[in-house]
Amino acid sequence: MAIMQCTVLVVDDDPHIRELLAFALQKAGLATREAADGEAALADMAERTPDLVILDINMPRMDGIETCRRIRAQGDLPVLFLSSRDDEIDRILGMELGADDYVTKPFSPREVVARVAAILRRVHRRPPPQTPGRFSIGGLSLDAEGWRAKWRGVEAPLTVTEFSIVRTLADAPARVFTRDAIIDRVYGPGFAMTDRTIDSHIRNLRSKFAALGGVDVIETRAGVGYQLGQCQGEAP
């Protein structure tokens, strides 16, 4: 599916923001739908699943955090969080819930469109030729074409971004990736993102694999970054 055939659900209690984002996304060739709160968003998704959800954190009735929890309980639909404040707790909690990216208000509509496009490209692009379709080391196995990761045959419920990160590490198991290198590989060169966001995704990945017994999938190299671990199911 081409990115321009994708549909984005914009969820925010401010009609002006919904209108602003819908206009910018439509100008970029994306179809849009709108919802004013989490309950309305879930009802909309039950009728027609979008390709990505832009989700405000601070909303009445059902906020973005609870809405994201319910979305994640149903699958790995990409989520981009919006917040009216630059609150680190909100950002970390959002990432640990499985959000693919995070933008703080006030924002540039062009930036939001660029981040949406980057997420959708990762969802729909084919694996690069140099990357094998399947990868296996120890208890870890990756299916690049199916976007699935398993630990000893049990699938880990990864988001698109989480899968992209572990696949990046698996592409070069001996290499230590800096946070900037991970951002470049996952999002594209020059993409603006903080180191803390990558750290939150790594923490989430470790938690999901550890729940299945994969306690050594990702190794931290102090002062440098991250690399693929031994994947033997033993604490490093």
Side-chain angles (χ1 to χ4, degrees), residues 61-82:
R61 299 181 66 182
M62 183 185 296
D63 65 16
I65 298 295
E66 178 59 27
T67 305
C68 187
R69 283 196 182 99
R70 300 195 183 193
I71 291 173
R72 281 289 159 262
Q74 298 173 11
D76 58 357
L77 181 69
V79 173
L80 170 68
F81 263 136
L82 298 178

Side-chain angles (χ1 to χ4, degrees), residues 140-143 147-151 154-156 158 163 166 209:
L140 175 68
S141 60
L142 303 178
D143 176 359
W147 290 78
R148 291 185 176 89
K150 294 182 179 181
W151 178 261
V154 180
E155 184 167 352
L158 305 187
F163 181 88
V166 73
F209 279 113

Side-chain angles (χ1 to χ4, degrees), residues 13 35 46 90 123 127 174 208 231:
D13 60 316
D90 276 353
V123 174
K208 290 181 177 181
C231 299

